[in-house]
Amino acid sequence: MMQVLSIQSGATTKDCLSSGKLVVLTGPSGVGKGTLMRSLLARHPELYYSVSATTRSPRPGEIDGKDYYFISRSKFEQLVAAGEFLEWAEFAGNYYGTPREPVINQICSGKLVLLEIELEGARQIRRSFPEALSIFILPPSFSELEKRIRTRGQDSEEAIARRLRRAQDEINAADEFDIQIVNDDFETTLKSIEATLFG
Ligand SMILES: Nc1nc2c(ncn2[C@@H]2O[C@H](COP(=O)(O)OP(=O)(O)O)[C@@H](O)[C@H]2O)c(=O)[nH]1
Ligand SMILES: Nc1ncnc2c1ncn2[C@@H]1O[C@H](COP(=O)(O)OP(=O)(O)O)[C@@H](O)[C@H]1O
């Protein structure tokens, strides 16, 4: 199911990609990735956040084109076949993918590009783009993670159970990442990410 990536193939593309920077942020569902991303973007509008496509239904308040591009499974499969994703994966019963073209364009224009993606996608990026910096966000404990998913109050019991089942496998892979940060105190975490990106 994994896509072969070609962004390293041409010398020109490779040179171009070295003008910007790609940062991958991963961590179990509920750890605080989305909230951290939103704060980071509010504080650093020069960053480029890659909006993913997903077959998941929008949660209340989520905006198409801002939080995700919400698309059907058949549309997603068409885009996979057309090679339109830099990486993609199935997570908790839905597909998620990073649109290739805007990310390449933004990196080539010298931007720092942020991807907030799950483990399989992060592995694909590591293979195709080894220069990318990868950050894994850990919860202070598993019970705190569960509490955060529940207090977010946006997922069905089934969706929560799927995310928690998956969370332990993701946490076990934290060592694969360049940097691990425990999201205990929110402001402290934000400062650690800022130090990593700009320090
Ligand atoms: N591989 C991949 N994962 C993604 C992408 N976009 C989002 N994800 C991840 O998919 C997982 C589920 O996201 P979401 O349904 O928004 O749930 P949440 O993490 O519980 O808020 C999270 O780990 C996201 O980081 C993408 O483009 N590619
Ligand atoms: N450091 C933190 N301490 C306590 N709660 C947090 C912290 N970071 C995030 N949260 C809360 O945890 C819940 C899940 O965060 P969210 O950003 O949706 O996680 P993710 O995108 O990783 O699934 C939200 O209600 C958020 O406000």
Side-chain angles (χ1 to χ4, degrees), residues 23-75:
V23 176
V24 176
L25 194 88
T26 301
S29 187
V31 76
K33 303 179 299 296
T35 316
L36 288 163
M37 277 287 168
R38 282 190 291 279
S39 299
L40 209 54
L41 291 167
R43 280 157 66 149
H44 307 278
E46 74 280 12
L47 297 173
Y48 178 82
Y49 172 70
S50 164
V51 177
S52 297
T54 184
T55 60
R56 163 164 85 59
S57 305
R59 293 176 179 143
E62 283 185 329
I63 297 166
D64 187 40
K66 182 169 179 282
D67 296 290
Y68 281 107
Y69 297 105
F70 295 99
I71 63 175
S72 66
R73 281 184 92 86
S74 59
K75 177 73 186 169

Side-chain angles (χ1 to χ4, degrees), residues 111-124:
K111 288 258 188 178
L112 199 163
V113 174
L114 297 172
L115 306 185
E116 190 244 279
I117 61 177
E118 53 67 67
L119 179 62
E120 290 306 326
R123 286 176 170 156
Q124 292 173 51

